[in-house]
Amino acid sequence: MNHYSYTIRHRNGWGTGIGPRPDTCAACAKPLPVPLANTGASGYGCSDESPVAPCLLPGAPAAPAWFKEAQRTLKKGETITRSRAHCYACCAEREKARMIESGRAVLYLTREMITGGHVRHYATDWPGELKFRVHTISKGRHNIARTRVDVWFIGPDGAPWHGINIGDNQILRCRRVQKGAV
């Protein structure tokens, strides 16, 4: 059972996956799905990133071959890190708890066609496991990005939330609305 994802972390913050693919969720121990080819999806999310030394590898008295090869290809400022892998359902639960605690979230504005040609909007997390139906939507103009969309929905805590999407994308920056402000 491998709960970890290994990455070469570049100076600019981007990462390149290396090593064995995680096969179980670190939180619930369920098997992780194998991603479909050419989709770009990994089938899991990651948390708790930390630098890796060869002695920290689980059950490895000596560093495995893939780790030694990765060490040889490191450039200045790059490090090898590992993160705990979580299934999408556990990622949604973590995001929900984080939303309730902080009152903020970055979600995605999605739409679904329903009967009669009508469109229903949702605020969702990336894999779509966490989904909130938008009850009010307002489209307007933005001085730089040209378009602005404001949405209101009921969040995981039962309180009203407001989300703003600016520009030509689906990113929705959300925050809990104070009582009496709606």
Side-chain angles (χ1 to χ4, degrees), residues 93-141:
E93 288 301 316
R94 292 166 57 90
E95 182 67 23
K96 190 186 299 184
R98 199 171 13 254
M99 285 177 74
I100 292 169
E101 179 186 328
S102 70
R104 294 175 180 253
V106 177
L107 301 174
Y108 294 88
L109 182 60
T110 61
R111 7 184 267 174
E112 288 181 10
M113 295 295 288
I114 57 174
T115 57
H118 297 284
V119 175
R120 187 172 284 165
H121 290 84
Y122 293 94
T124 67
D125 64 344
W126 182 78
E129 292 280 328
L130 190 61
K131 191 181 232 185
F132 306 102
R133 182 167 178 234
V134 170
H135 60 75
T136 307
I137 188 164
S138 171
K139 296 180 182 179
R141 297 183 48 80

Side-chain angles (χ1 to χ4, degrees), residues 56-176:
L56 293 178
L57 290 170
W66 63 265
F67 189 84
K68 289 178 184 176
E69 181 62 31
Q71 279 186 314
R72 280 195 289 272
T73 61
L74 286 180
K75 297 181 181 108
K76 184 178 178 184
E78 294 180 336
T79 57
I80 297 175
T81 63
R82 77 176 183 179
S83 304
R84 290 178 169 221
H86 298 281
C87 64
Y88 288 153
C90 290
C91 287
E93 288 301 316
R94 292 166 57 90
E95 182 67 23
K96 190 186 299 184
R98 199 171 13 254
M99 285 177 74
I100 292 169
E101 179 186 328
S102 70
R104 294 175 180 253
V106 177
L107 301 174
Y108 294 88
L109 182 60
T110 61
R111 7 184 267 174
E112 288 181 10
M113 295 295 288
I114 57 174
T115 57
H118 297 284
V119 175
R120 187 172 284 165
H121 290 84
Y122 293 94
T124 67
D125 64 344
W126 182 78
E129 292 280 328
L130 190 61
K131 191 181 232 185
F132 306 102
R133 182 167 178 234
V134 170
H135 60 75
T136 307
I137 188 164
S138 171
K139 296 180 182 179
R141 297 183 48 80
H142 188 269
N143 63 341
I144 296 171
R146 295 191 315 186
T147 60
R148 173 182 167 136
V149 178
D150 287 79
V151 300
W152 289 266
F153 60 94
I154 301 299
D157 50 2
W161 283 64
H162 175 232
I164 299 172
N165 167 260
I166 295 176
D168 186 21
N169 59 58
Q170 293 178 295
I171 298 172
L172 193 62
R173 288 172 177 80
C174 306
R175 63 188 314 167
R176 187 182 305 120

